[in-house]
PDB file of all heavy atoms in Angstrom:
ATOM      1  N   PRO C 235     100.597 113.350 151.228  1.00 95.00           N
ATOM      2  CA  PRO C 235      99.367 112.732 151.744  1.00 95.00           C
ATOM      3  C   PRO C 235      98.792 111.629 150.838  1.00 95.00           C
ATOM      4  O   PRO C 235      97.833 110.973 151.229  1.00 95.00           O
ATOM      5  CB  PRO C 235      98.380 113.907 151.796  1.00 95.00           C
ATOM      6  CG  PRO C 235      99.175 115.140 151.577  1.00 95.00           C
ATOM      7  CD  PRO C 235     100.382 114.750 150.824  1.00 95.00           C
ATOM      8  N   LEU C 236      99.341 111.468 149.639  1.00 96.00           N
ATOM      9  CA  LEU C 236      98.706 110.532 148.705  1.00 96.00           C
ATOM     10  C   LEU C 236      99.158 109.092 148.945  1.00 96.00           C
ATOM     11  O   LEU C 236     100.316 108.852 149.286  1.00 96.00           O
ATOM     12  CB  LEU C 236      99.041 110.913 147.258  1.00 96.00           C
ATOM     13  CG  LEU C 236      98.578 112.299 146.801  1.00 96.00           C
ATOM     14  CD1 LEU C 236      99.040 112.557 145.368  1.00 96.00           C
ATOM     15  CD2 LEU C 236      97.059 112.407 146.886  1.00 96.00           C
ATOM     16  N   PRO C 237      98.242 108.142 148.764  1.00 96.00           N
ATOM     17  CA  PRO C 237      98.633 106.732 148.892  1.00 96.00           C
ATOM     18  C   PRO C 237      99.702 106.376 147.868  1.00 96.00           C
ATOM     19  O   PRO C 237      99.619 106.789 146.710  1.00 96.00           O
ATOM     20  CB  PRO C 237      97.336 105.957 148.622  1.00 96.00           C
ATOM     21  CG  PRO C 237      96.413 106.923 147.992  1.00 96.00           C
ATOM     22  CD  PRO C 237      96.828 108.288 148.388  1.00 96.00           C
ATOM     23  N   GLU C 238     100.697 105.627 148.273  1.00 95.00           N
ATOM     24  CA  GLU C 238     101.847 105.342 147.411  1.00 95.00           C
ATOM     25  C   GLU C 238     101.516 104.528 146.188  1.00 95.00           C
ATOM     26  O   GLU C 238     102.159 104.681 145.147  1.00 95.00           O
ATOM     27  CB  GLU C 238     102.897 104.550 148.225  1.00 95.00           C
ATOM     28  CG  GLU C 238     103.734 105.441 149.074  1.00 95.00           C
ATOM     29  CD  GLU C 238     104.667 104.634 149.973  1.00 95.00           C
ATOM     30  OE1 GLU C 238     104.661 103.389 149.906  1.00 95.00           O
ATOM     31  OE2 GLU C 238     105.399 105.275 150.741  1.00 95.00           O
ATOM     32  N   GLU C 239     100.522 103.628 146.322  1.00 95.00           N
ATOM     33  CA  GLU C 239     100.317 102.654 145.241  1.00 95.00           C
ATOM     34  C   GLU C 239      99.540 103.196 144.043  1.00 95.00           C
ATOM     35  O   GLU C 239      99.348 102.481 143.069  1.00 95.00           O
ATOM     36  CB  GLU C 239      99.642 101.396 145.800  1.00 95.00           C
ATOM     37  CG  GLU C 239      98.202 101.584 146.217  1.00 95.00           C
ATOM     38  CD  GLU C 239      98.041 102.211 147.601  1.00 95.00           C
ATOM     39  OE1 GLU C 239      99.074 102.579 148.228  1.00 95.00           O
ATOM     40  OE2 GLU C 239      96.895 102.360 148.029  1.00 95.00           O
ATOM     41  N   LYS C 240      99.095 104.471 144.099  1.00 97.00           N
ATOM     42  CA  LYS C 240      98.348 105.001 142.949  1.00 97.00           C
ATOM     43  C   LYS C 240      99.218 105.973 142.155  1.00 97.00           C
ATOM     44  O   LYS C 240      99.984 106.744 142.724  1.00 97.00           O
ATOM     45  CB  LYS C 240      97.075 105.690 143.428  1.00 97.00           C
ATOM     46  CG  LYS C 240      96.065 104.696 143.991  1.00 97.00           C
ATOM     47  CD  LYS C 240      94.741 105.332 144.337  1.00 97.00           C
ATOM     48  CE  LYS C 240      93.843 104.299 145.006  1.00 97.00           C
ATOM     49  NZ  LYS C 240      92.620 104.885 145.531  1.00 97.00           N
ATOM     50  N   PRO C 241      99.083 105.943 140.831  1.00 97.00           N
ATOM     51  CA  PRO C 241      99.955 106.770 140.001  1.00 97.00           C
ATOM     52  C   PRO C 241      99.625 108.253 140.103  1.00 97.00           C
ATOM     53  O   PRO C 241      98.492 108.630 140.352  1.00 97.00           O
ATOM     54  CB  PRO C 241      99.690 106.246 138.584  1.00 97.00           C
ATOM     55  CG  PRO C 241      98.324 105.668 138.633  1.00 97.00           C
ATOM     56  CD  PRO C 241      98.136 105.134 140.018  1.00 97.00           C
ATOM     57  N   ARG C 242     100.642 109.089 139.887  1.00 97.00           N
ATOM     58  CA  ARG C 242     100.493 110.540 139.902  1.00 97.00           C
ATOM     59  C   ARG C 242     100.925 111.104 138.566  1.00 97.00           C
ATOM     60  O   ARG C 242     102.024 110.805 138.085  1.00 97.00           O
ATOM     61  CB  ARG C 242     101.377 111.166 140.984  1.00 97.00           C
ATOM     62  CG  ARG C 242     101.081 110.732 142.402  1.00 97.00           C
ATOM     63  CD  ARG C 242     101.894 109.515 142.791  1.00 97.00           C
ATOM     64  NE  ARG C 242     101.710 109.127 144.186  1.00 97.00           N
ATOM     65  CZ  ARG C 242     102.603 109.391 145.142  1.00 97.00           C
ATOM     66  NH1 ARG C 242     103.739 110.008 144.837  1.00 97.00           N
ATOM     67  NH2 ARG C 242     102.371 109.027 146.386  1.00 97.00           N
ATOM     68  N   LEU C 243     100.061 111.936 137.997  1.00 97.00           N
ATOM     69  CA  LEU C 243     100.320 112.541 136.693  1.00 97.00           C
ATOM     70  C   LEU C 243     100.398 114.042 136.884  1.00 97.00           C
ATOM     71  O   LEU C 243      99.544 114.627 137.554  1.00 97.00           O
ATOM     72  CB  LEU C 243      99.183 112.187 135.737  1.00 97.00           C
ATOM     73  CG  LEU C 243      99.332 112.439 134.237  1.00 97.00           C
ATOM     74  CD1 LEU C 243      98.229 111.673 133.499  1.00 97.00           C
ATOM     75  CD2 LEU C 243      99.225 113.886 133.865  1.00 97.00           C
ATOM     76  N   ILE C 244     101.410 114.684 136.316  1.00 96.00           N
ATOM     77  CA  ILE C 244     101.490 116.138 136.444  1.00 96.00           C
ATOM     78  C   ILE C 244     101.518 116.829 135.081  1.00 96.00           C
ATOM     79  O   ILE C 244     102.054 116.313 134.104  1.00 96.00           O
ATOM     80  CB  ILE C 244     102.714 116.566 137.281  1.00 96.00           C
ATOM     81  CG1 ILE C 244     102.581 118.033 137.708  1.00 96.00           C
ATOM     82  CG2 ILE C 244     104.014 116.377 136.493  1.00 96.00           C
ATOM     83  CD1 ILE C 244     103.523 118.416 138.830  1.00 96.00           C
ATOM     84  N   CYS C 245     100.908 118.002 135.071  1.00 90.00           N
ATOM     85  CA  CYS C 245     100.812 118.801 133.862  1.00 90.00           C
ATOM     86  C   CYS C 245     101.570 120.091 134.098  1.00 90.00           C
ATOM     87  O   CYS C 245     101.474 120.662 135.183  1.00 90.00           O
ATOM     88  CB  CYS C 245      99.334 119.098 133.676  1.00 90.00           C
ATOM     89  SG  CYS C 245      98.921 119.669 132.069  1.00 90.00           S
ATOM     90  N   GLY C 246     102.349 120.567 133.128  1.00 88.00           N
ATOM     91  CA  GLY C 246     102.924 121.898 133.264  1.00 88.00           C
ATOM     92  C   GLY C 246     104.402 121.955 133.615  1.00 88.00           C
ATOM     93  O   GLY C 246     104.974 123.032 133.687  1.00 88.00           O
ATOM     94  N   LEU C 247     105.044 120.801 133.790  1.00 90.00           N
ATOM     95  CA  LEU C 247     106.498 120.835 134.002  1.00 90.00           C
ATOM     96  C   LEU C 247     107.124 120.561 132.650  1.00 90.00           C
ATOM     97  O   LEU C 247     106.817 119.568 132.017  1.00 90.00           O
ATOM     98  CB  LEU C 247     106.936 119.760 135.004  1.00 90.00           C
ATOM     99  CG  LEU C 247     106.355 119.882 136.413  1.00 90.00           C
ATOM    100  CD1 LEU C 247     106.996 118.846 137.331  1.00 90.00           C
ATOM    101  CD2 LEU C 247     106.560 121.277 136.978  1.00 90.00           C
ATOM    102  N   GLY C 248     107.994 121.455 132.184  1.00 87.00           N
ATOM    103  CA  GLY C 248     108.506 121.333 130.831  1.00 87.00           C
ATOM    104  C   GLY C 248     109.949 120.890 130.730  1.00 87.00           C
ATOM    105  O   GLY C 248     110.265 119.836 130.200  1.00 87.00           O
ATOM    106  N   LEU C 249     110.842 121.689 131.302  1.00 92.00           N
ATOM    107  CA  LEU C 249     112.279 121.450 131.154  1.00 92.00           C
ATOM    108  C   LEU C 249     112.742 120.194 131.871  1.00 92.00           C
ATOM    109  O   LEU C 249     112.140 119.792 132.861  1.00 92.00           O
ATOM    110  CB  LEU C 249     113.056 122.634 131.719  1.00 92.00           C
ATOM    111  CG  LEU C 249     112.784 124.004 131.097  1.00 92.00           C
ATOM    112  CD1 LEU C 249     113.467 125.081 131.908  1.00 92.00           C
ATOM    113  CD2 LEU C 249     113.262 124.015 129.653  1.00 92.00           C
ATOM    114  N   PRO C 250     113.841 119.591 131.401  1.00 93.00           N
ATOM    115  CA  PRO C 250     114.366 118.399 132.075  1.00 93.00           C
ATOM    116  C   PRO C 250     114.550 118.591 133.587  1.00 93.00           C
ATOM    117  O   PRO C 250     114.226 117.704 134.366  1.00 93.00           O
ATOM    118  CB  PRO C 250     115.714 118.159 131.382  1.00 93.00           C
ATOM    119  CG  PRO C 250     115.548 118.762 130.035  1.00 93.00           C
ATOM    120  CD  PRO C 250     114.619 119.925 130.204  1.00 93.00           C
ATOM    121  N   GLU C 251     115.054 119.760 133.993  1.00 93.00           N
ATOM    122  CA  GLU C 251     115.278 119.990 135.426  1.00 93.00           C
ATOM    123  C   GLU C 251     113.966 119.994 136.200  1.00 93.00           C
ATOM    124  O   GLU C 251     113.905 119.568 137.353  1.00 93.00           O
ATOM    125  CB  GLU C 251     115.971 121.342 135.664  1.00 93.00           C
ATOM    126  CG  GLU C 251     117.415 121.393 135.224  1.00 93.00           C
ATOM    127  CD  GLU C 251     117.574 121.689 133.739  1.00 93.00           C
ATOM    128  OE1 GLU C 251     116.561 121.731 133.004  1.00 93.00           O
ATOM    129  OE2 GLU C 251     118.715 121.873 133.310  1.00 93.00           O
ATOM    130  N   GLU C 252     112.915 120.481 135.544  1.00 94.00           N
ATOM    131  CA  GLU C 252     111.602 120.510 136.202  1.00 94.00           C
ATOM    132  C   GLU C 252     111.046 119.092 136.313  1.00 94.00           C
ATOM    133  O   GLU C 252     110.440 118.740 137.319  1.00 94.00           O
ATOM    134  CB  GLU C 252     110.644 121.405 135.413  1.00 94.00           C
ATOM    135  CG  GLU C 252     111.093 122.870 135.403  1.00 94.00           C
ATOM    136  CD  GLU C 252     110.214 123.748 134.509  1.00 94.00           C
ATOM    137  OE1 GLU C 252     109.564 123.224 133.589  1.00 94.00           O
ATOM    138  OE2 GLU C 252     110.206 124.968 134.746  1.00 94.00           O
TER     139      GLU C 252
END
Side-chain angles (χ1 to χ4, degrees):
Chain C
L236 299 177
E238 279 174 1
E239 70 279 4
K240 291 186 185 172
R242 299 90 176 257
L243 193 165
I244 195 164
C245 196
L247 298 186
L249 301 171
E251 289 83 353
E252 295 175 337

